[in-house]
Amino acid sequence: MSSLHNSILDSGNPEIYSLRTKTEGPSGSLPFQPEFLKNEPSGHIFGWTQNAGMGWDPKEMLGRQFLILSTQGGIRSPDGSPVALGYHTGHFEVGLLMEEAARVIARNGGIPFAGFCSDPCDGRTNGTSGMMDSLPYRNDAAILFRRLIRSLPTRRGVLGVATCDKGLPAMMMALAGSGSLPSVLVPGGVSLLSEEAEDLARIQSIGARYAHNEVSLEEASSLGCRACGSPGGGCQFLGTAASSQVVAEALGMTLPHAALAPSGAPIWTDMAARSALTLMQMERKEMVCADILSDAAIKNAMVVHAAFGGSTNLILHLPAVAHAAGLNRPTVKDWQYYNQRIPRLVDALPNGPRGYATVQVFLAGGVPEVMLHLRKMGLLDLDSMTVTGLPLGENLQWWENSERRKRLREKLYHLDGIDPEDVISDPQSAALKGFSSTVTFPTGNLAPEGSVVKSTAIDPGLISVEGIFYHEGPARVFGSEGEAIKAIKREGRGGIEAGDVIVMAGIGPLGCGMPETYQLTAALKYSTAGKGVALLTDGRFSGVSTGACIGHISPEALAEGPIGKLRDGDTIRIRIDCHKLEGSINLVADNAEEILRERSLNPIIRQNPNVPDDTRLWAALQNASGGSWQGCVYDVDKILEVLSKGMSNP
């Protein structure tokens, strides 16, 4: 037997035999009272025994118990160096927020508990089979978090700590679904910019740019190494992670000016400490999450999302939060209504025109600064309650005159030479600077139930003076993201050419779990191969995606949607009015309606054979619950209705 096998089977370390089967156990005694022992369930009594076993001082056992839940991933040494990597920077440092909050709870007479459910990284799984688990994970994690909350029956409140694309929406859903408890959300913050490196949006296109000789191997290697400015924090752009933080604050679930804080900074851990105090205050005042979340709060979140120019993925996540809270879910008409009336006030990546980083948006004032402008316009429900115990209007009065606001805005100018008014503008200035509103929902014979495009992120050079983006060209139909990205990277014959309309169908929920397709949209933006190319898909995009990329096309191809009936060479016409936020996507032919009605599904479009069974189950359940426009949720009543019909008609 080899020495390697010997070391695997037995290390030879004699210290492993220094062991025992019995110890004295914890010292002291539990502060039981007769009535407690007589009347409490055995689980409550045994819980104290386990608390002492884990080292909690028995004399402190009477404290109120609070649960801290987190998406933490990876293992850090005390000095911050990695022992085991997390899936992404967004959850690598959030354990520090948990530690700070736990210490505050303990110092104030409480007993903190901690539970974990790590989250995946869309950036890491883009273009891979791992992306088939991304959106389904959100529902699974929300269920797991709710089960963890219920599994600690003595908890008096919950602090949720999360950062990124699916973990943070899952945490919001879990807290919303536990509405009878006090709860506070702690956003995990954002990554710093890296000096002399590309931002985390552009860097994800280095493969496509290298394929077209736009960067050298040495440049790609160096840029790829240096893009993350800090070991923790969500990405530097206003994608789904940052947009979810913004929406959580707009809902009133966080402290004012909590979203987009720089990970690892004192202002970040200070927010966790104050959030813990807030949770304990809520519990004393018998204030619960259901007091915070309301239809008015959902409206405020949609208004703030539009003013920020947030990720289109919140069209999936905000309805899911509303559903978990038992509130009315926003519809496409609701999103359209607010986006047509709310001006975009924030200049952040990827929208532009300048494209500041999320940490710079935070220093410019973040959510409360934007809300000051929206308050002036009469667009917010100022009576909506927040976790501070004060209505939104009173929080904004504090912010307007706060030392915090003044000093941080000064800090932005001192550090980066940026005028905070350039990052967050008033409506008149934003209009003069060319800020465009956020999201358009095109319809047409290819999207009879709707679609979505982040029209604010279409290249301004492709938009007319009247605000019209117009594109007509031949379809290039692909049944997978992999085949589409190969065509983009291919030079010469068979590659994508200016004027083409990439049609990527069969990647909705039923096809392969509705994966994010940022690998593709990044290549279209940052590679010369993507210039003058449009994209249609029944899948979804990263919140940082830009360009003429139209997603969420419904019905999806595998639900008999017309997008699945297109063939190479079909003429597609796209028209987006970026001022009125109206648009259409159509097959152009004399008998287009008949063609789309009579044609069969394109044979290259089929469900991915490698879709995991868990994702197939998720797809079926969310489809029965209303699909992506209803938030990809599990509507139990509808699911049971479908099942009962199936059982009665075998």
Side-chain angles (χ1 to χ4, degrees), residues 40 78 159 172-173 204 228 274 297 306 360 409 446 483:
E40 292 298 317
L159 197 73
M172 286 194 282
M173 291 166 65
Q204 294 183 59
C228 288
R274 290 184 293 109
Q360 293 166 332
R409 286 164 64 84
L446 292 178
E483 291 303 313

Side-chain angles (χ1 to χ4, degrees), residues 300 371 375 380-385 391-394 396:
N300 284 343
M371 282 184 159
R375 180 188 66 177
L380 294 172
D381 188 318
L382 300 175
D383 294 326
S384 190
M385 188 53 65
L392 175 61
E394 292 190 39
L396 293 180

Side-chain angles (χ1 to χ4, degrees), residues 6 8 93 125 212 216 279 353 409 450 456 467 497 503 539-540 546:
N6 280 333
I8 290 173
E93 289 189 322
T125 59
H212 286 275
S216 67
L279 179 64
R409 286 164 64 84
T456 191
E497 300 178 0
V503 177
R540 64 184 179 89
T546 56

Side-chain angles (χ1 to χ4, degrees), residues 555-616:
E556 63 176 296
L558 292 176
E560 301 184 358
I563 187 176
K565 299 181 179 183
L566 292 174
R567 304 291 194 269
D568 276 356
D570 283 342
T571 300
I572 308 297
R573 178 182 298 152
I574 302 170
R575 185 183 186 279
I576 308 293
D577 188 326
C578 299
H579 291 168
K580 295 181 179 179
L581 300 189
E582 298 171 346
S584 59
I585 49 174
N586 288 293
L587 169 67
V588 180
D590 291 338
N591 54 342
E593 302 295 337
E594 182 181 347
I595 291 172
L596 293 174
R597 185 172 58 253
E598 299 297 330
R599 264 187 191 171
S600 60
L601 181 71
N602 190 319
I604 70 169
I605 297 169
R606 58 191 180 280
Q607 185 180 62
N608 188 311
N610 298 317
V611 176
D613 284 347
D614 338 50
T615 298
R616 291 175 59 216

Side-chain angles (χ1 to χ4, degrees), residues 317-400:
H317 300 318
L318 188 58
V321 175
H323 175 260
L327 302 171
N328 294 316
R329 282 180 270 181
T331 65
V332 176
K333 289 184 178 179
D334 294 328
W335 287 106
Q336 194 165 29
Y337 176 86
Y338 288 114
N339 275 275
Q340 287 176 336
R341 286 159 179 79
I342 311 299
R344 181 169 64 88
L345 306 178
V346 179
D347 184 347
L349 290 166
N351 300 331
R354 168 62 176 78
Y356 296 100
T358 43
V359 66
Q360 293 166 332
V361 176
F362 175 80
L363 291 176
V367 173
E369 192 67 24
V370 172
M371 282 184 159
L372 290 183
H373 296 300
L374 296 172
R375 180 188 66 177
K376 199 173 200 178
M377 301 168 69
L379 295 171
L380 294 172
D381 188 318
L382 300 175
D383 294 326
S384 190
M385 188 53 65
T386 70
V387 294
T388 64
L390 300 172
L392 175 61
E394 292 190 39
N395 287 346
L396 293 180
Q397 287 176 17
W398 162 79
W399 170 258
E400 189 171 21

Side-chain angles (χ1 to χ4, degrees), residues 67-133:
L67 175 59
I68 307 171
L69 290 176
S70 166
T71 56
Q72 180 183 346
I75 305 172
R76 303 170 76 254
S77 295
D79 66 359
S81 59
V83 177
L85 296 173
Y87 287 25
H88 54 93
T89 61
H91 65 210
F92 190 60
E93 289 189 322
V94 295
L96 299 176
L97 296 174
M98 298 181 78
E99 289 178 30
E100 186 68 22
R103 291 191 178 99
V104 168
I105 289 170
R107 281 199 302 267
N108 286 273
I111 302 177
F113 286 76
F116 305 85
C117 173
S118 193
D119 55 341
C121 175
D122 284 358
R124 187 177 294 276
T125 59
N126 252 299
T128 76
S129 60
M131 186 53 79
M132 290 189 283
D133 289 293

Side-chain angles (χ1 to χ4, degrees), residues 138 142 145-146 160-162 164-178 183 185 240-241 243-251 253-254 289 293 301 314 317-318 320-322 324-325:
R138 185 204 66 180
F145 282 133
R146 285 195 293 267
V161 184
C164 283
D165 290 24
K166 304 304 177 299
L168 184 49
M171 187 69 76
M172 286 194 282
M173 291 166 65
L175 298 183
S178 307
S183 64
L185 190 73
T240 307
S243 299
S244 296
Q245 294 187 40
V246 165
V247 161
E249 184 171 334
L251 286 168
M253 299 177 76
T254 79
C289 188
L293 293 179
L314 270 295
H317 300 318
L318 188 58
V321 175

